Amino acid sequence: MSLYVFYYNESGARVFTKSSVNDEAKELLKRKGYKKHFFEVEATSAKEAIAKMKSNDDDYLKELKDYSDSLLFVGLVGGA
C-alpha cells in the first residue's frame, strides 16, 4: 500500500502518492494555485484513495448534519 495525498484548487483536485511529491512538485502545484488537503490515506491505488476520501467526506457531512439537526432541535425547544 502507498500513502496518497490530495491537492485541490478552484477547478478540481489531484491525487498523488506522497513519495512522488517532492519540493519541486510542491512549488509547481503552489504556482498553479493548488493547496494540500489535510487528508492522507493508505490505499493500493489512486482510485481506492479517492473512494476513501469520498467516504470520509460523506461521513463528515453526515456528522455535521446530525449536529446541526441537534442544534435546531435545542433551539426550537428552548424557544418554546
Side-chain angles (χ1 to χ4, degrees):
M1 279 208 207
S2 297
L3 188 61
Y4 285 86
V5 294
F6 299 85
Y7 285 83
Y8 66 94
N9 67 11
E10 63 279 347
S11 62
R14 309 245 353 232
V15 60
F16 304 96
T17 57
K18 188 170 184 172
S19 62
S20 72
V21 184
N22 59 21
D23 291 338
E24 185 179 336
K26 288 176 187 176
E27 279 302 312
L28 179 61
L29 287 164
K30 187 175 180 179
R31 283 195 305 267
K32 291 187 175 193
Y34 283 90
K35 297 176 184 169
K36 185 177 182 296
H37 195 284
F38 69 91
F39 187 74
E40 296 181 358
V41 64
E42 279 195 24
T44 57
S45 67
K47 187 175 183 177
E48 182 184 349
I50 292 167
K52 286 183 176 184
M53 182 178 189
K54 184 181 179 324
S55 175
N56 181 70
D57 287 350
D58 290 347
D59 292 345
Y60 174 75
L61 291 174
K62 183 185 179 313
E63 288 176 15
L64 188 60
K65 180 191 175 303
D66 292 345
Y67 178 72
S68 297
D69 289 347
S70 297
L71 287 179
L72 178 63
F73 178 75
V74 169
L76 290 174
V77 171

